């Protein structure tokens, strides 16, 4: 293992020597990155439409579960909560029930998504949503749907509290140092442009990219 690491370090040093950084160009490069960051950052309206969508899905949950008295809360997570999204980003949602002590089985999660799917199929017939597609064969079952008004794709999962917690932690770190948020945001944009930001295609998901940025800054 030590030999492999030394070879890798030697190879890295050789590559770095062939890519010399000119100090006078760094300020120009930094200015370019800041411009990209500013252009791609969401506008106030992007925050508003996503909050409205979260409210709409909570109303749908009340419509589905109202008489039962066990109405779940549809909670946002992912890039929106991290504040690392842009106008075309998907909106990740988790359907969370009150009783955290009861473990939700895989089958029960699928049953919950099917209830939402039936409601969304009805809304699809009226042109309110499109692309309703349950992905139940995945390790984490997801219901995909696109809001026709905003064209935002929503990925709905069930009891994804781990995702909610991680998103809040990343948001907290971003609030401590703007440089971490900027670098994470730009790295996500770069990974997307290079087609290496899609877990379904066996590449890095957004959280993995952000954790790599955090590790880089730590070392």
């Amino acid at each position: 293992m030590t030999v492999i690491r030394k070879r890798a370090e030697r190879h890295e040093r050789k590559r770095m020597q062939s890519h010399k950084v000119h100090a006078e160009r760094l300020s120009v490069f930094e200015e370019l990155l800041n411009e990209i960051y500013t252009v791609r950052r969401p506008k106030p309206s992007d925050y508003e439409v996503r909050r409205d969508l979260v409210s709409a899905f909570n109303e749908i949950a009340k419509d589905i579960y109202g008489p039962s008295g066990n109405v779940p809360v549809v909670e946002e997570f992912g890039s929106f909560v991290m504040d690392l999204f842009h106008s075309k980003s998907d909106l990740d949602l988790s359907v969370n029930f009150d009783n955290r002590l009861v473990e939700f089985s895989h089958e029960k999660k699928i049953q919950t998504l099917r209830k939402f799917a039936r409601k969304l199929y009805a809304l699809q017939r009226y042109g309110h949503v499109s692309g309703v597609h349950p992905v139940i064969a995945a390790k984490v079952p997801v219901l995909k749907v696109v809001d026709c008004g905003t064209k935002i794709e929503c990925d709905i999962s069930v009891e994804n509290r781990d995702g909610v917690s991680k998103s809040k932690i990343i948001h907290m770190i971003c609030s401590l140092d703007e440089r971490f948020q900027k670098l994470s945001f730009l790295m996500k944009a770069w990974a997307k442009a290079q087609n290496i930001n899609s877990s379904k295609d066996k590449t890095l998901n957004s959280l993995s990219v952000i954790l790599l940025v955090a590790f880089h800054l730590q070392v």
Side-chain angles (χ1 to χ4, degrees):
M1 194 69 180
T2 304
V3 175
I4 294 174
R5 186 175 69 250
K6 287 183 177 179
R7 285 180 182 176
E9 290 173 351
R10 188 164 57 248
H11 180 67
E12 186 178 7
R13 282 196 297 271
K14 286 182 180 179
R15 292 197 62 184
M16 290 298 291
Q17 289 171 0
S18 63
H19 297 283
K20 293 183 179 180
V21 178
H22 300 280
E24 63 274 12
R25 296 181 183 176
L26 284 177
S27 60
V28 177
F29 183 57
E30 184 177 358
E31 186 178 335
L32 174 63
L33 290 178
N34 278 321
E35 184 179 342
I36 294 170
Y37 175 78
T38 302
V39 169
R40 289 183 63 88
R41 282 294 294 164
K43 306 295 186 294
S45 58
D46 295 318
Y47 290 90
E48 290 174 12
V49 295
R50 280 166 172 75
R51 293 190 192 102
D52 289 343
L53 278 174
V54 175
S55 297
F57 278 104
N58 272 291
E59 290 301 317
I60 290 173
K62 289 177 184 177
D63 194 30
I64 296 172
Y65 289 90
S68 70
N70 186 24
V71 181
V73 174
V74 180
E75 190 173 357
E76 65 272 32
F77 69 100
S79 61
F80 178 48
V81 172
M82 296 176 195
D83 200 12
L84 293 172
F85 75 102
H86 59 86
S87 60
K88 298 186 184 301
S89 294
D90 298 346
L91 178 61
D92 296 309
L93 300 169
S94 176
V95 180
N96 298 328
F97 290 83
D98 282 339
N99 195 346
R100 302 188 182 195
L101 299 177
V102 178
E103 186 176 348
F104 249 67
S105 66
H106 187 80
E107 184 57 37
K108 197 167 183 180
K109 290 179 180 180
I110 291 173
Q111 290 173 2
T112 302
L113 290 180
R114 281 175 174 159
K115 287 182 180 180
F116 275 83
R118 283 194 292 270
K119 181 66 178 178
L120 290 171
Y121 281 133
L123 292 173
Q124 185 170 249
R125 287 194 291 270
Y126 291 101
H128 298 302
V129 299
S130 65
V132 180
H133 177 53
V135 185
I136 58 177
K139 183 179 179 181
V140 178
V142 173
L143 174 60
K144 292 183 174 292
V145 60
V146 178
D147 175 65
C148 290
T150 61
K151 306 301 180 187
I152 295 174
E153 180 177 312
C154 302
D155 292 345
I156 307 170
S157 52
V158 179
E159 289 292 322
N160 198 341
R161 297 180 188 273
D162 187 50
V164 174
S165 299
K166 288 177 180 176
S167 302
K168 290 180 178 178
I169 291 170
I170 296 297
H171 175 70
M172 193 183 307
I173 298 171
C174 286
S175 67
L176 295 175
D177 194 326
E178 185 187 18
R179 294 172 296 178
F180 174 69
Q181 182 187 37
K182 279 188 175 182
L183 187 55
S184 296
F185 187 91
L186 291 168
M187 280 300 298
K188 276 188 60 184
W190 172 81
K192 193 78 172 178
Q194 299 299 318
N195 294 318
I196 55 170
N197 184 208
S198 174
S199 56
K200 67 180 180 182
D201 296 325
K202 308 300 182 183
T203 58
L204 298 175
N205 62 24
S206 293
L207 182 61
S208 298
V209 173
I210 294 165
L211 292 178
L212 280 174
V213 171
F215 176 74
H216 168 72
L217 295 176
Q218 284 176 319
V219 301

